[in-house]
Amino acid sequence: AQSVTQLGSHVSVSEGALVLLRCNYSSSVPPYLFWYVQYPNQGLQLLLKYTSAATLVKGINGFEAEFKKSETSFHLTKPSAHMSDAAEYFCAVILSGSARQLTFGSGTQLTVLP
Amino acid sequence: GAGVSQSPSNKVTEKGKDVELRCDPISGHTALYWYRQRLGQGLEFLIYFQGNSAPDKSGLPSDRFSAERTGESVSTLTIQRTQQEDSAVYLCASSLRSGYGYTFGSGTRLTVV
């Protein structure tokens, strides 16, 4: 069965520091992978997605993620954190060729310290 | 419309009452999903509609939960005889086709008292 694991339910970084949010998936076939962000009291917004094209995916707000098949990972990074990046981040997976629903990780709450 | 619209945005109901939650997907999106997000937790898949195919109901937690969708338009999630553990944010998402990018609504926050 496919699943996705996010390491670290809470991550704190200083403003201007590197942001690294970890996501690993379990699947024998490379799935479609997504990162979503959720600001307080709002719905989910798509940051970026991997659909078997380029392994380095650039998203909105300066975020990017690299698909590494050998590590079954899809970690989210941003070179320099901004206060407005404080939110909850969810990694999600769809097994390619299957039916369809997104399976979400448990989320990582990012805090940005001044 | 421009985005996925959900109503109501907030709903407080008494234990044992039935509730209906509505989702208006983006026009032309054939796929529609319902998820539940309990406080401090990730999203749980509930049900998926794709066009006129039979829905995938594998995520519905009990027979108190049901959902309908007419064609490729509005969907309604119904919870009968609500329980306190049903308190959560219910999120709807639509997609141009399955496996593609999903657009989420802002959710309905359900509180059962």
Side-chain angles (χ1 to χ4, degrees):
Chain A
Q2 61 179 350
S3 68
V4 57
T5 302
Q6 291 183 244
L7 294 176
S9 58
H10 290 84
V11 170
S12 293
V13 299
S14 298
E15 190 174 18
L18 171 72
V19 176
L20 170 60
L21 305 182
R22 298 176 187 276
C23 174
N24 288 87
Y25 66 91
S26 59
S27 172
S28 57
V29 177
Y32 293 165
L33 293 155
F34 303 79
W35 276 100
Y36 283 86
V37 60
Q38 186 177 34
Y39 297 102
N41 300 314
Q42 295 187 28
L44 276 75
Q45 180 181 4
L46 179 67
L47 276 177
L48 49 79
K49 62 184 177 186
Y50 167 76
T51 54
S52 74
T55 56
L56 181 62
V57 182
K58 294 189 182 297
I60 62 171
N61 301 340
F63 284 93
E64 62 183 36
E66 186 172 7
F67 171 72
K68 292 187 177 180
K69 183 179 178 181
S70 61
E71 299 177 7
T72 60
S73 69
F74 190 58
H75 302 330
L76 182 71
T77 60
K78 182 174 181 178
S80 177
H82 192 274
M83 298 296 288
S84 62
D85 294 328
E88 185 144 27
Y89 292 80
F90 292 93
C91 183
V93 61
I94 299 174
L95 188 62
S96 58
S98 84
R100 309 138 208 162
Q101 77 259 22
L102 281 165
T103 298
F104 284 85
S106 54
T108 298
Q109 181 68 47
L110 176 66
T111 300
V112 181
L113 305 171
Chain B
V4 177
S5 177
Q6 291 188 248
S7 60
S9 55
N10 281 283
K11 175 74 176 178
V12 180
T13 189
E14 293 181 352
K15 179 180 173 181
K17 300 283 189 182
D18 297 352
V19 295
E20 280 191 357
L21 312 180
R22 177 186 169 104
C23 173
D24 278 282
I26 292 173
S27 179
H29 279 196
T30 61
L32 185 147
Y33 306 77
W34 283 98
Y35 287 84
R36 176 171 71 177
Q37 186 179 25
R38 288 177 163 146
L39 185 64
Q41 299 186 24
L43 280 77
E44 303 170 70
F45 166 75
L46 296 177
I47 188 168
Y48 158 72
F49 296 91
Q50 172 62 57
N52 293 314
S53 302
D56 177 352
K57 302 179 181 181
S58 59
L60 294 179
S62 78
D63 59 7
R64 296 187 295 105
F65 288 72
S66 63
E68 299 292 331
R69 187 186 188 195
T70 304
E72 297 181 356
S73 61
V74 171
S75 176
T76 302
L77 176 69
T78 301
I79 308 173
Q80 296 178 309
R81 306 180 302 281
T82 52
Q83 305 294 313
Q84 287 187 328
E85 63 262 27
D86 298 335
S87 296
V89 176
Y90 289 82
L91 289 162
C92 175
S94 71
S95 175
L96 190 60
R97 60 178 186 269
S98 62
Y100 213 69
Y102 298 60
T103 301
F104 279 83
S106 53
T108 294
R109 183 176 299 278
L110 175 66
T111 304
V112 182
V113 298

